[in-house]
Amino acid sequence: MQNFKKNLISTEKIAFLTSVSLLFSYIETIVPKFTPFLKLGLANTIVISALNFDFPSFFILICAKTIISSLFGGTLLSPFFVISICQSFGSSFAMFFLNKLNILIKKRFCSVYGISIFGASISSFIQILLSSVYLGKGTFVFLAPMLIFGIFSGFLTAFLSEYLKIPQNLDLLIKKIIEKQNNLEFQKLPESQEKIKSKKLTEQIKQNQKLSSFLIFCFVALSISTFLVKNMIVLCVFLISAFTFQIVLGKKIKLLPHVILWIFVIFCAVLVPNGEILFKISCFSITKGAVFSGITKSLRLSIVASLSLCLCSMNFNMKKSVFFTKIMEYFRFLMQIFNESEGNVFKKIKTTFEIK
């Protein structure tokens, strides 16, 4: 245990890099995506930046990055969380051990770009493999495009890590944030009108621990039962209920992600014919069973996605954690710098991590 603590990188560094991953996850929401799976993976920049950490520190960083990002991204109750945590661990550990192999043989047979692309490819394969468990074998049609996209995303994350020089400037970046905390008065991050209107209600729920715990239990129970229900009418009632909870808790309903999800899931389902043929397009048959299966799976994913967003409003007492508080402090100031910077997204990122 003493050796573990001795080898552990400063919690300041782990907290800062976790906050950087949250910032990059936020930036990705600005970039439109056409399927639930084609993500740039900008948060993996911090994985590249931490490849020279000792394993315990690296493990804690990946855990913090995955869990907190899923909590704030609203996927904690959905199958996407299982996929996310598996691909995150799989790709991160693959990159970590490939980098250690580079060091061990004392010859860099693989550059940071090769390591990053390898990790992105592992991530893409795990995504498709696990998605096929729920969505069916039709998802494998996306494996080749995902691997090609993984080359681009892997190159991008390696480029960002090299360009921003986060590993080299890590101590200076932390010092910069601390100095800004001490010398500058930052404004609070802007809140949407919907959040302001529901703020009192949300605070009341958080203050009432018993009610908060009961609602968390309800959300988890409803999410589990969603995958046991086969009746489409009941699932529609569940979805309306989830949307209602989301509105009450001040979470705005964004229909576009649900529409994209539905199109993707139904498309994957109809690739595997099942039951009575409804109509044919050339030699391709659209079957009743496949369409029904696609709609059912779409409803379930929309329900758990909505409930996951509701869960974000609940009180997990994480504010009592010094580590979590430190992450949120860093994240707040990084967001402040990013939002106040001028220019396009790339220039904003550059300004945020600029050492002056």
Side-chain angles (χ1 to χ4, degrees):
M1 191 67 182
Q2 288 180 346
N3 291 333
F4 179 88
K5 290 181 178 179
K6 193 178 289 186
N7 291 331
L8 197 63
I9 299 291
S10 167
T11 53
E12 293 280 343
K13 292 181 180 180
I14 297 174
F16 178 76
L17 287 176
T18 305
S19 69
V20 173
S21 74
L22 289 176
L23 176 66
F24 281 128
S25 295
Y26 164 76
I27 292 170
E28 279 209 50
T29 62
I30 301 172
V31 181
K33 55 180 181 290
F34 301 100
T35 76
F37 300 103
L38 283 181
K39 294 175 65 179
L40 290 172
L42 297 180
N44 286 331
T45 302
I46 68 107
V47 179
I48 303 296
S49 302
L51 287 177
N52 290 322
F53 279 16
D54 55 79
F55 184 75
S57 303
F58 186 80
F59 179 78
I60 291 172
L61 174 63
I62 301 306
C63 287
K65 162 188 171 290
T66 307
I67 295 171
I68 296 176
S69 295
S70 297
L71 177 62
F72 283 85
T75 60
L76 205 58
L77 295 178
S78 71
F80 294 119
F81 173 68
V82 178
I83 295 172
S84 176
I85 199 166
C86 289
Q87 72 177 79
S88 184
F89 277 106
S91 62
S92 298
F93 291 156
M95 289 189 284
F96 181 81
F97 289 115
L98 186 58
N99 182 64
K100 292 302 179 188
L101 183 62
N102 260 348
I103 297 170
L104 184 65
I105 64 175
K106 297 181 180 179
K107 184 179 180 181
R108 299 197 70 82
F109 70 94
C110 191
S111 70
V112 67
Y113 287 91
I115 292 171
S116 182
I117 291 170
F118 177 69
S121 300
I122 295 291
S123 177
S124 298
F125 180 76
I126 292 173
Q127 267 189 305
I128 294 298
L129 182 65
L130 293 180
S131 297
S132 68
V133 174
Y134 180 70
L135 300 179
K137 294 180 180 179
T139 53
F140 279 104
V141 74
F142 293 99
L143 181 58
M146 284 284 291
L147 290 173
I148 294 170
F149 186 79
I151 294 173
F152 169 74
S153 64
F155 182 89
L156 180 61
T157 51
F159 171 77
L160 274 176
S161 179
E162 292 267 286
Y163 181 76
L164 298 175
K165 297 180 180 179
I166 295 176
Q168 300 92 320
N169 297 331
L170 190 54
D171 291 329
L172 290 174
L173 284 168
I174 294 173
K175 184 180 177 182
K176 169 190 171 183
I177 299 297
I178 293 173
E179 284 177 354
K180 284 186 177 292
Q181 279 181 299
N182 295 332
N183 301 327
L184 296 178
E185 186 176 340
F186 279 73
Q187 297 177 351
K188 289 184 178 180
L189 293 176
E191 292 181 301
S192 64
Q193 288 185 353
E194 291 82 0
K195 286 185 178 179
I196 293 172
K197 289 178 182 178
S198 63
K199 192 174 181 181
K200 290 183 180 180
L201 177 61
T202 306
E203 286 178 354
Q204 287 174 2
I205 291 173
K206 288 185 177 182
Q207 287 171 4
N208 191 329
Q209 293 293 324
K210 290 183 178 179
L211 178 59
S212 182
S213 300
F214 174 73
L215 286 175
I216 292 171
F217 172 79
C218 288
F219 293 151
V220 174
L222 193 58
S223 297
I224 295 171
S225 60
T226 295
F227 291 96
L228 303 176
V229 174
K230 295 182 179 180
N231 189 296
M232 200 175 292
I233 296 174
V234 176
L235 288 173
C236 287
V237 173
F238 278 16
L239 182 59
I240 293 169
S241 301
F243 281 163
T244 303
F245 280 128
Q246 195 173 326
I247 293 169
V248 169
L249 292 171
K251 293 289 181 179
K252 189 177 180 180
I253 297 174
K254 297 179 180 179
L255 292 177
L256 184 58
H258 288 280
V259 172
I260 294 172
L261 178 66
W262 276 56
I263 292 171
F264 178 79
V265 173
I266 293 172
F267 177 76
C268 290
V270 298
L271 289 176
V272 183
N274 178 20
E276 179 187 346
I277 297 176
L278 296 176
F279 57 90
K280 284 188 175 183
I281 302 174
S282 184
C283 58
F284 183 72
S285 300
I286 305 294
T287 58
K288 185 177 180 180
V291 172
F292 180 84
S293 175
I295 294 173
T296 302
K297 289 174 180 178
S298 300
L299 281 167
R300 287 170 177 161
L301 290 177
S302 286
I303 292 166
V304 294
S306 184
L307 291 172
S308 295
L309 286 172
C310 292
L311 199 66
C312 297
S313 301
M314 297 294 97
N315 184 14
F316 287 92
N317 290 322
M318 293 182 75
K319 290 183 179 179
K320 294 180 180 179
S321 166
V322 176
F323 181 61
F324 178 76
T325 302
K326 187 62 67 177
I327 291 170
M328 296 315 299
E329 283 178 1
Y330 285 142
F331 176 58
R332 177 194 167 203
F333 284 98
L334 286 172
M335 279 287 291
Q336 190 73 45
I337 298 168
F338 179 81
N339 287 331
E340 290 182 352
S341 302
E342 297 180 353
N344 56 37
V345 173
F346 187 77
K347 286 183 178 178
K348 283 174 173 283
I349 293 173
K350 182 183 176 183
T351 304
T352 304
F353 295 96
E354 206 169 40
I355 299 295
K356 291 183 181 179

